[in-house]
């Protein structure tokens, strides 16, 4: 596999960064996870825009234009002979001293990895996920905005580990007020009486690209959507629940905290959103 690091495509074994990189030392950097479907990069502009916003939010000035980033992403896919896959784009603050100050980091680093994709097994789409609310709260937006897709994922990793140790594949995370924020790597939706609800960004949710695609689909289908604070109660009594993310796409949730959601099987609206999402990815995208 060829990996892009700071201006060059290198063999995987040679793709290295400095131990003084602040991305490694402090999680000081940002990233994107992007999907390639049948030779087409899905929502590339949206991912690059979110990357630019993340950079702006952490005062990291990126020397690459959107076009340059787009070209590198496409080239990484072509060079690795991929038609379907997952692209990880990472920007770190770059090499600096051991001190916290980013002032010592003068040149940011850019890494692009285009690889095959790890997917949830098909039975999760057929039978749905069982998830659990974990005690670890989503980081407060006043401490670090969850809107920034930063390299600092320890908060989400702690939550994921809590779920894993209890035998669950995914964790539902609440914010410090007790409202639903998101899962560790996916946004959350519920459906009730024909309306779709998802937490607002202010509740601590990432501006998910898949979330936005699902909102577009809901609009096309004429399904009403509400972006409102949700509690665990709202989830427990919902007809349906599903998660969205670049890797997961749209995946049904059939159980939360040991309670069946709806009749405990993947819901009809969820299935419709998944079908529509898959047809959207087949129609839209940036050709390599
Ligand atoms: N929330 C978090 C915390 C994430 O890391 C992600 C991305 N995996 C998402 C939500 C979903 O975002 P997207 O649809 O852009 O992949």
């Amino acid at each position: 596999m060829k990996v892009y690091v700071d201006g060059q495509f290198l063999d995987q074994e040679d793709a290295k960064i400095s131990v003084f990189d602040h991305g490694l030392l402090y999680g000081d950097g940002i990233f994107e996870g992007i999907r390639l479907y049948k030779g087409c990069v899905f929502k590339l502009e949206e991912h690059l825009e979110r990357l630019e916003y993340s950079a702006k939010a952490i005062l990291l000035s990126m020397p690459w234009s959107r076009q340059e980033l787009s070209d590198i992403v496409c080239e990484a896919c072509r060079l690795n002979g991929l038609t379907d896959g997952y692209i990880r784009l990472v920007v770190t603050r770059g090499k600096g001293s051991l001190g916290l100050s980013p002032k010592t980091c003068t040149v940011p680093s850019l890494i692009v990895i285009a690889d095959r994709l790890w997917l949830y097994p098909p039975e999760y789409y057929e039978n749905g996920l069982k998830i659990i609310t974990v005690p670890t709260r989503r980081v407060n937006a006043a401490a670090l905005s969850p809107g920034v897709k930063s390299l600092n994922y320890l908060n989400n990793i702690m939550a994921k580990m809590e779920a894993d140790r209890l035998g669950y594949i995914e964790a539902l995370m609440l914010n410090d007020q007790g409202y639903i924020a998101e899962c560790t790597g996916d946004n959350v939706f519920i459906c009730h009486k024909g309306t779709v609800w998802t937490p607002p960004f202010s509740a601590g949710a990432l501006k998910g690209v898949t979330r936005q695609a699902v909102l577009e689909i809901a609009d096309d289908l004429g399904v009403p959507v509400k972006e409102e604070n949700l509690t665990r109660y709202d989830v427990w009594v919902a007809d349906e629940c599903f998660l969205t993310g670049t890797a997961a796409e749209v995946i049904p949730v059939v159980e939360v905290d040991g309670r069946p959601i709806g009749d405990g099987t993947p819901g009809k609206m969820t299935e419709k959103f998944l079908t529509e999402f898959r047809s959207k990815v087949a129609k839209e995208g940036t050709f390599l």
Side-chain angles (χ1 to χ4, degrees), residues 4-7 17 51 62 64 68-69 72 89-92 108-112:
Y4 180 93
V5 185
D6 293 334
I17 59 153
L51 184 81
M62 293 201 294
W64 314 281
E68 279 171 309
L69 291 172
I72 295 165
L89 197 163
V90 182
V91 176
T92 76
S109 271
L110 173 62
I111 300 164
V112 179

Side-chain angles (χ1 to χ4, degrees), residues 47 50 138 149 153 156 182-187 206 208-211 244-246:
H47 281 286
R50 187 170 66 188
R138 192 76 181 93
K149 200 160 165 60
Y153 256 52
N156 311 53
E182 58 182 343
C183 284
T184 65
D186 293 313
N187 291 109
L206 180 75
V209 170
T210 321
R211 175 189 186 277
T244 63
T246 293

Side-chain angles (χ1 to χ4, degrees), residues 213-283:
V214 164
L215 295 182
E216 286 163 20
I217 291 168
D219 195 38
D220 292 345
L221 294 174
V223 174
V225 177
K226 290 192 175 165
E227 295 181 57
E228 282 177 11
N229 277 330
L230 298 174
T231 62
R232 289 208 296 161
Y233 167 86
D234 297 316
V235 177
W236 295 336
V237 303
D239 295 332
E240 300 182 27
C241 177
F242 62 88
L243 311 182
T244 63
T246 293
E249 303 181 316
V250 174
I251 191 158
V253 172
V254 294
E255 188 192 289
V256 178
D257 302 334
R259 299 159 182 254
I261 303 300
D263 66 2
T265 63
K268 290 276 167 288
M269 281 180 88
T270 303
E271 278 169 7
K272 180 79 181 149
F273 280 118
L274 176 58
T275 308
E276 292 296 320
F277 181 78
R278 289 197 167 147
S279 99
K280 197 175 182 68
V281 302
K283 285 193 295 235

Side-chain angles (χ1 to χ4, degrees), residues 67-103:
Q67 189 58 51
E68 279 171 309
L69 291 172
S70 169
D71 291 346
I72 295 165
V73 164
C74 293
E75 185 60 11
C77 297
R78 279 194 295 264
L79 266 182
N80 289 297
L82 293 171
T83 47
D84 289 271
Y86 179 84
I87 304 137
R88 173 58 57 92
L89 197 163
V90 182
V91 176
T92 76
R93 187 80 67 179
K95 222 184 323 176
S97 71
L98 285 182
L100 265 184
S101 173
K103 281 189 184 155

Side-chain angles (χ1 to χ4, degrees), residues 31-215:
F31 76 101
E32 281 297 317
I34 310 169
R35 198 75 184 259
L36 175 70
Y37 291 98
K38 293 196 167 31
C40 251
V41 187
F42 186 60
K43 300 273 186 199
L44 182 55
E45 288 295 315
E46 287 78 355
H47 281 286
L48 294 179
E49 182 180 78
R50 187 170 66 188
L51 184 81
E52 287 162 8
Y53 290 162
S54 293
K56 201 167 181 182
I58 68 163
L59 296 172
L60 192 163
S61 123
M62 293 201 294
W64 314 281
S65 68
R66 181 141 353 148
Q67 189 58 51
E68 279 171 309
L69 291 172
S70 169
D71 291 346
I72 295 165
V73 164
C74 293
E75 185 60 11
C77 297
R78 279 194 295 264
L79 266 182
N80 289 297
L82 293 171
T83 47
D84 289 271
Y86 179 84
I87 304 137
R88 173 58 57 92
L89 197 163
V90 182
V91 176
T92 76
R93 187 80 67 179
K95 222 184 323 176
S97 71
L98 285 182
L100 265 184
S101 173
K103 281 189 184 155
T104 62
C105 309
T106 49
V107 187
S109 271
L110 173 62
I111 300 164
V112 179
I113 309 169
D115 200 359
R116 261 167 272 285
L117 177 69
W118 178 87
L119 289 173
Y120 278 126
E123 54 265 30
Y124 285 127
Y125 291 87
E126 281 148 34
N127 305 328
L129 296 180
K130 296 178 178 180
I131 66 170
I132 189 164
T133 311
V134 293
T136 294
R137 297 288 169 110
R138 192 76 181 93
V139 73
N140 184 313
L144 171 63
S145 171
V148 176
K149 200 160 165 60
S150 86
L151 293 181
N152 220 305
Y153 256 52
L154 204 47
N155 178 227
N156 311 53
I157 291 168
M158 294 293 286
K160 186 101 180 164
M161 285 193 297
E162 282 175 343
D164 182 62
R165 288 162 81 87
L166 295 167
Y168 290 86
I169 191 149
E170 185 51 290
L172 185 62
M173 298 184 78
L174 309 180
N175 63 21
D176 56 359
Q177 292 177 295
Y179 293 114
I180 309 262
E182 58 182 343
C183 284
T184 65
D186 293 313
N187 291 109
V188 182
F189 284 76
I190 57 171
C191 312
H192 196 57
K193 295 191 175 175
T195 296
V196 168
W197 272 267
T198 194
F201 302 129
S202 57
L206 180 75
K207 294 190 178 189
V209 170
T210 321
R211 175 189 186 277
Q212 185 54 38
V214 164
L215 295 182

